Amino acid sequence: MIRLTCCLLFFLSAICHGQSVIIIDAGHGGAKPSGSQAAKSLSSPNNAVSAGGLKEKDLTLELAQKVIARINAKNAGLKAVPTRTDDSNPDFAARARVAAENKAAWFVSIHFNAVPKGSKKASGTLGMVQLKSRNPHYTEDAALAASLAREVNKTLRTWLPDSKPFPVGDDHELHDGQGSNLFWQLRNQIKTPVTACFLEVEFLDNPAVEKAILGANRSAVFDAVAESIATTLVAAAQGDKK
């Protein structure tokens, strides 16, 4: 009886102190688009490319894997789950399905930025969320996006002193005003609120950025950035439980 009681108490404790799940999405991937805009699931294989030929899809996967490893190593009540682990391009319905199946409370999609062709080069870190008029969870999403952009940019300034965090952006310009397919899929598939944002780490098309953080320093930079993302997310999740 004592043994059964101890087992029962342990089981109940695991339920009461269960891990929150966060999805870490490595943006883009693969060699061709997946999904369709008609179904609001279209995902492009790659957007930004550096002057030296580095592709956004490869950098997002490399960084996402480091973030996941650090979150899970902390054993702090937050479990990180990937949307992809190789050079594939799940459409946005599939990426949101990972969140739904894991009952995720958080979703961060990692990207690298680029300016429109012909525009002046830029440097900085941006968090982006769903447009406020479409998003009943805007306050929580924007708070997470701002925290991530601020902490990641603080880390990056070790190598890029002139970089800066931008104010939180939204998705009103995407897909001719329809907004992000990811956010639409998350809200459509999951009825409980999921705190979600895109994190645009830096501008991949800026040669100064490439030289400072994506050359010989890349491993050290990504380790530091991954730690800042992991620490920020664990702190946010623990604060949400209070």
Side-chain angles (χ1 to χ4, degrees), residues 24-41:
I24 302 297
D25 176 46
H28 307 291
K32 59 183 181 180
S34 60
S36 71
Q37 191 51 39
K40 293 190 176 181
S41 62

Side-chain angles (χ1 to χ4, degrees), residues 23-108:
I23 306 303
I24 302 297
D25 176 46
H28 307 291
K32 59 183 181 180
S34 60
S36 71
Q37 191 51 39
K40 293 190 176 181
S41 62
L42 180 66
S43 174
S44 60
N46 191 74
N47 282 350
V49 180
S50 76
L54 295 173
K55 293 182 178 180
E56 180 183 6
K57 66 170 187 170
D58 298 325
L59 298 175
T60 62
L61 181 60
E62 181 180 340
L63 181 55
Q65 289 175 330
K66 288 177 179 282
V67 172
I68 290 165
R70 277 161 176 74
I71 290 174
N72 291 337
K74 290 180 183 296
N75 195 26
L78 184 64
K79 177 184 177 183
V81 175
T83 56
R84 67 180 179 102
T85 57
D86 56 16
D87 187 21
S88 58
N89 184 22
D91 68 24
F92 279 121
R95 294 178 198 243
R97 196 174 305 122
V98 174
E101 290 173 351
N102 284 276
K103 296 180 172 56
W106 309 79
F107 194 113
V108 174

Side-chain angles (χ1 to χ4, degrees), residues 165-227:
F166 292 107
V168 173
D170 64 46
D171 64 345
H172 72 279
E173 293 184 347
L174 297 180
H175 301 296
D176 297 323
Q178 296 180 59
S180 162
N181 291 331
L182 171 61
F183 294 144
W184 189 89
Q185 289 290 342
L186 287 173
R187 306 307 179 206
N188 187 58
Q189 292 191 38
I190 307 171
K191 301 311 176 186
T192 54
V194 177
T195 304
C197 71
F198 286 94
L199 176 64
E200 300 275 2
V201 176
E202 250 294 355
F203 282 82
L204 182 55
D205 60 340
N206 185 335
V209 169
E210 182 177 18
K211 181 179 179 181
I213 69 170
L214 299 174
N217 292 325
R218 184 161 116 199
S219 180
V221 172
F222 276 26
D223 283 344
V225 169
E227 181 61 30

